[in-house]
Amino acid sequence: MQCLRVGRACQLSMFAGMRRASSAGLAAGNDRLLMLQGGFSSVFEAQSRDDLQSEIVSFARGLGFDTVSAITVIDHLLADSEFIAIDNAPSAYREVSEDGGESARDPVMRHCKKKSVPIIWDQTTYISAGESDMWEKQATFGYRTGICLALHLPEGRQFVLGGDRDRPLPSASQELTRMVADLQLFAVLAQDAALRVLLPPVPDTVAVSLTPRELEGLRWTMEGKTAWEVGNILGISERTAVLHLTNATHKLDCVNKHQAVLKALRLKLIF
């Protein structure tokens, strides 16, 4: 086990840059990069549940996964948690996996409930957790190995994204690292689309006031610049650049700078 509606040009620039920063030094083919850029931008434009499912499934298959699940979790203080799932699971698998206690036992889901670090899982993950029977049952339907991660969001919300397949994941560490990085960046966009499409709209009634430096930091982050590069561009230290980005993230009620960029774009604070 190893342990996020803007103009199309802005989207491609932002997420190509984000991917470069997340997988620096890992060379990818032109066809793959084009596929990733298209997937990043198109999922953000999803207008319905069917649109969202189509984009998520298409992107996952482009990464080499046979099946994928995207679960939006909403925790309620005085009621049971709400789960809104989008997947392309075989119908027969759904019938045998709808036992509510299964997810509580599943070591992958237990990991994602507590941690934000992606988990790369296979049979040994389940054996180590004493749940080998669970792996045997799901392996029959092609769920033999995969990568899963969770984004822990404000207001008791989580977004869990996992890709699965029936053949081993790449043995080359660079290729596997690239798959994880691609899935992480896609998850940031997919969760934003999922909250917009699947949940009732909540108007942004509270005005957000960002300082000029905070706005500049978000704009350069949108262009794929690291905090060190932002500091050089603005003539400030890396530490000060991080401070401005952190303040902007907190003011926008987000959990990381990339989500902050998305919200700032949606609120038309940056262009």
Side-chain angles (χ1 to χ4, degrees):
M1 180 177 66
Q2 303 176 49
C3 308
L4 202 221
R5 175 74 45 160
V6 295
R8 187 175 182 85
C10 275
Q11 294 172 35
L12 293 181
S13 173
M14 173 185 174
F15 295 104
M18 286 166 59
R19 184 173 183 274
R20 286 195 299 273
S22 294
S23 55
L26 300 179
N30 291 335
D31 290 343
R32 179 179 175 78
L33 182 57
L34 288 173
M35 179 276 290
L36 291 170
Q37 290 178 340
F40 281 148
S41 61
S42 55
V43 72
F44 201 49
E45 296 169 356
Q47 296 299 305
S48 68
R49 184 189 182 100
D50 288 344
D51 287 348
L52 184 59
Q53 175 162 342
S54 176
E55 295 297 341
I56 290 174
V57 170
S58 176
F59 190 89
R61 286 177 173 164
L63 284 183
F65 295 112
D66 304 315
T67 55
V68 62
S69 61
I71 308 171
T72 302
V73 185
I74 306 171
D75 291 330
H76 299 291
L77 184 61
L78 301 177
D80 293 336
S81 296
E82 183 179 355
F83 297 84
I84 308 173
I86 287 180
D87 60 55
N88 65 336
S91 56
Y93 175 72
R94 285 201 185 96
E95 293 175 5
V96 301
S97 64
E98 288 182 348
D99 177 4
E102 290 284 293
S103 62
R105 291 173 47 210
D106 192 316
V108 175
M109 295 306 295
R110 292 207 308 265
H111 171 96
C112 290
K113 185 175 182 179
K114 298 178 180 179
K115 302 178 181 179
S116 298
V117 179
I119 177 172
I120 300 171
W121 63 269
D122 57 16
Q123 185 177 13
T124 59
T125 306
Y126 287 80
I127 293 176
S128 299
E131 301 291 354
S132 58
D133 60 323
M134 182 178 292
W135 184 88
E136 294 286 351
K137 182 167 68 174
Q138 68 185 36
T140 305
F141 300 94
Y143 294 81
R144 305 181 69 88
T145 186
I147 303 171
C148 193
L149 61 93
L151 301 178
H152 298 271
L153 311 170
E155 301 176 2
R157 297 176 178 177
Q158 300 174 53
F159 182 76
V160 182
L161 180 65
D164 323 279
R165 53 199 261 176
D166 63 359
R167 60 199 183 282
L169 291 169
S171 57
S173 61
Q174 285 191 346
E175 186 174 356
L176 187 57
T177 299
R178 192 159 51 232
M179 288 180 72
V180 174
D182 293 343
L183 198 65
Q184 284 180 297
L185 289 183
F186 182 76
V188 176
L189 268 181
Q191 66 83 21
D192 190 89
L195 295 179
R196 173 172 50 80
V197 170
L198 302 177
L199 302 183
V202 178
D204 293 300
T205 55
V206 180
V208 178
S209 177
L210 300 182
T211 68
R213 282 295 199 214
E214 290 164 355
L215 291 171
E216 287 178 304
L218 291 177
R219 289 192 190 98
W220 285 113
T221 299
M222 180 179 69
E223 296 296 331
K225 304 299 184 183
T226 65
W228 181 83
E229 291 172 318
V230 171
N232 278 344
I233 292 169
L234 300 182
I236 57 179
S237 69
E238 179 182 9
R239 182 176 180 179
T240 302
V242 170
L243 178 62
H244 288 312
L245 289 169
T246 300
N247 288 341
T249 298
H250 289 164
K251 287 180 180 180
L252 290 165
D253 197 23
C254 295
V255 297
N256 60 49
K257 64 182 181 180
H258 298 310
Q259 290 179 10
V261 168
L262 290 176
K263 188 165 185 179
L265 284 165
R266 192 165 59 247
L267 295 176
K268 302 187 185 305
L269 297 175
I270 59 176
F271 301 91

